[in-house]
Amino acid sequence: MAGETFPNGTVNEAGHSRVVIVGAGFAGLAAARELGNTEIDVTVIDRRNHNLFQPLLYQVATAALSPADVSEPIRRTLGRYRNIKVMLAEVTGIDAAAKDVKLDYGSSVPYDRLVIATGSEYNYFGHEDWRAWAPGLKTIHEARLIRQRLLLAFEKAELSQDPEEKKALLTSVIIGGGPTGVEMAGAISELGRFMITRDFRKLEPDNMRVILIEAGPKILAAFPDNLVQYAMKVLEKEGVEVRTNLPVASVTKDEVIAGSERIRTGCIIWGAGVKASPAARWLGVEGKAGGRIPVEPDLSVTGLPDIFAIGDTALGLEDGKPLPALAQVAKQQGEYVGKALRLRLLEDKPSGPFRFHNRGNTAVIGRNTAIFDFGRWTLKGRFAWFLWALVHVYLLVNFEKRLLVSIQWIWRYLTRQRGARLIDENAASFVPSSTQRTET
């Protein structure tokens, strides 16, 4: 391995093992940090130059936070680790036999061990044309697009002389009743009623509608019934119309058809399901459960012991059940793989199987209201909301982000003001990409 040159011009030192990590989300960053400042050459590849704290992305979409509050350049995050290189590139394939990662500009990166942490993207269930009118909430681009459409709808409604058009513009439709959908519904309702009361002279709160559509029998399907019923009551109190057992048949620029109902709308948000990145196709393996890569108890890809899959792109089983596609799972898997590789490559020691430690599943519903499911016990209301805020601030990437977000939350709590209500004058050309995904 002495003198071997990487595509970015760096040279692998003699005797150093090479670990390549594809994806710099929760899982990829956690693995990289565990390998930081060791005698292992680590290369992190991502097609974006920033990491993203996705759980707070809905607050960017509803003008509570700016994109910089929930993201940071990858080079800054990993810059203090002398053995980690960062590459801005898109992976197009993997040659497992040659141990090469193929990149979009025609080059490749060799590896001794490969970690795939490419995350997931929204699943439109065969209706990719819906993506243009119903963006999901996986990237900064999508969050800004949703914010753009929300704010523009209110501005257009203020100018409209047609009562029916005004009502349609002030109608927001969220498709999917999981945590993202519920959080978006509560946040849009709070934002809209505040703006109508404080900033708009020709709009009435009664004109505004927020409709949450779920194809299944209940929202928040992963939560126990007592928390679901509590969430339903809070959403209804906030003016959110919750529709269950209502599959969507059509989505166009300003209309949703669900069941037999035709809903004219000013803004549509998609949160109805996710699928894994195309990493299974790169490896030539059969993806399971939405394209996720089957892995062994040590998170190595079945049949490929030198390749590991973690986060949303991996189908890990525990007690015979698939692990959920959650940030806490991704982060724990990243930490585990990083430590396991360090033991194996530097000390020639094996590691035990990965075990997930559930620290609670949570969703925020609105101001002062959230729910927590810890398995054996649950929590709801104001205290759950404070705990949710504390946990999310703690999980932010560094002290600067924690301080900035905390100050803004306190100010927003006291004043109800939203500081990121900016509209791009080139909004008409603000079109979502058809290939957005998030790396976790």
Side-chain angles (χ1 to χ4, degrees):
M1 291 187 284
E4 196 155 2
T5 303
F6 282 84
N8 60 359
T10 58
V11 178
N12 179 50
E13 296 181 25
H16 287 195
S17 296
R18 301 164 300 186
V19 173
V20 173
I21 301 172
V22 182
F26 286 110
L29 283 182
R33 283 168 166 158
E34 290 296 333
L35 295 169
N37 290 337
T38 65
E39 297 304 311
I40 298 172
D41 285 329
V42 180
T43 301
V44 176
I45 306 172
D46 199 292
R47 60 181 185 158
R48 302 186 184 95
N49 80 324
H50 58 273
N51 61 67
L52 177 65
F53 190 72
Q54 193 186 121
L56 293 182
L57 198 56
Y58 83 96
Q59 294 205 7
V60 176
T62 53
L65 296 173
S66 70
D69 295 327
V70 298
S71 57
E72 181 177 79
I74 299 167
R75 293 186 184 278
R76 180 180 177 184
T77 304
L78 299 177
R80 65 181 180 274
Y81 302 113
R82 55 179 171 76
N83 64 317
I84 297 180
K85 311 171 190 71
V86 176
M87 296 183 66
L88 180 65
E90 183 160 4
V91 173
T92 58
I94 295 169
D95 187 337
K99 291 193 172 184
D100 265 340
V101 177
K102 307 298 182 184
L103 304 180
D104 55 349
Y105 57 88
S107 189
S108 64
V109 179
Y111 66 85
D112 296 310
R113 300 291 190 277
L114 174 64
V115 180
I116 300 174
T118 45
S120 60
E121 60 187 12
Y122 274 108
N123 189 353
Y124 286 81
F125 306 103
H127 299 281
E128 285 300 314
D129 55 311
W130 294 0
R131 188 186 295 269
W133 313 122
L137 202 59
K138 286 285 190 179
T139 67
I140 288 175
H141 179 90
E142 291 169 321
R144 291 177 61 210
L145 176 59
I146 292 169
R147 183 181 67 190
Q148 197 87 352
R149 291 180 177 175
L150 273 172
L151 298 180
L152 274 174
F154 278 83
E155 296 292 344
K156 291 177 180 178
E158 175 83 347
L159 298 175
S160 177
Q161 302 300 315
D162 181 349
E164 290 302 313
E165 181 186 40
K166 191 185 294 281
K167 183 178 179 180
L169 286 167
L170 294 178
T171 298
S172 297
V173 176
I174 300 97
I175 302 170
T180 298
V182 168
E183 289 169 350
M184 279 299 300
I188 290 173
S189 180
E190 181 185 348
L191 170 66
R193 295 182 191 285
F194 169 80
M195 289 197 304
I196 289 174
T197 302
R198 295 282 295 271
D199 295 342
F200 291 91
R201 302 294 178 259
K202 297 180 180 180
L203 302 181
E204 298 292 334
D206 291 343
N207 295 142
M208 181 181 166
R209 297 176 72 196
V210 179
I211 303 173
L212 177 62
I213 297 175
E214 168 57 42
K218 69 174 186 177
I219 62 171
L220 300 171
F223 288 81
D225 287 342
N226 67 312
L227 294 184
V228 173
Q229 292 304 316
Y230 172 77
M232 289 277 290
K233 290 178 180 178
V234 173
L235 288 171
E236 290 169 3
K237 184 179 178 182
E238 293 295 321
V240 177
E241 302 173 32
V242 180
R243 314 281 182 83
T244 56
N245 292 309
L246 193 64
V248 172
S250 175
V251 175
T252 57
K253 181 179 180 181
D254 52 11
E255 187 177 79
V256 173
I257 298 176
S260 59
E261 187 174 3
R262 188 181 299 269
I263 307 170
R264 292 182 62 198
T265 173
C267 184
I268 310 168
I269 299 103
W270 186 268
V274 296
K275 60 182 178 180
S277 73
R281 187 172 68 245
W282 299 340
L283 296 174
V285 303
E286 183 182 356
K288 306 288 186 180
R292 300 171 76 181
I293 300 172
V295 295
E296 299 297 322
D298 66 349
L299 303 183
S300 63
V301 176
T302 301
L304 299 169
D306 293 333
I307 302 177
F308 299 81
I310 55 179
D312 292 1
T313 199
L315 180 62
L317 301 177
E318 196 159 290
D319 300 326
K321 297 179 180 179
L323 289 169
L326 297 174
Q328 60 171 318
V329 175
K331 187 174 182 180
Q332 289 182 39
Q333 288 181 332
E335 291 170 346
Y336 164 86
V337 165
K339 292 175 183 177
L341 287 174
R342 201 172 62 209
L343 282 173
R344 190 175 306 178
L345 296 175
L346 297 180
E347 303 178 34
D348 197 24
K349 293 181 180 178
S351 57
F354 171 76
R355 297 295 298 178
F356 170 57
H357 302 286
N358 188 358
R359 297 189 172 93
N361 196 9
T362 183
V364 63
I365 306 164
R367 182 181 173 87
N368 292 333
T369 51
I371 55 175
F372 259 97
D373 175 24
F374 293 98
R376 295 183 179 180
W377 58 284
T378 61
L379 191 65
K380 61 186 179 183
R382 184 187 295 267
F383 186 73
W385 183 78
F386 277 113
L387 180 59
W388 171 89
L390 182 65
V391 168
H392 281 69
V393 166
Y394 173 75
L395 290 174
L396 285 167
V397 70
N398 59 36
F399 176 78
E400 177 190 354
K401 303 296 182 187
R402 294 169 193 151
L403 180 62
L404 288 173
V405 169
S406 297
I407 291 172
Q408 291 183 77
W409 277 356
I410 292 170
W411 179 251
R412 177 185 153 201
Y413 185 84
L414 294 175
T415 67
R416 295 181 180 264
Q417 287 283 358
R418 306 260 177 155
R421 284 163 43 199
L422 303 177
I423 296 177
D424 185 351
E425 62 271 23
N426 297 317
S429 62
F430 212 69
V431 178
S433 166
S434 61
T435 58
Q436 300 283 352
R437 73 168 184 271
T438 208
E439 283 88 5
T440 61

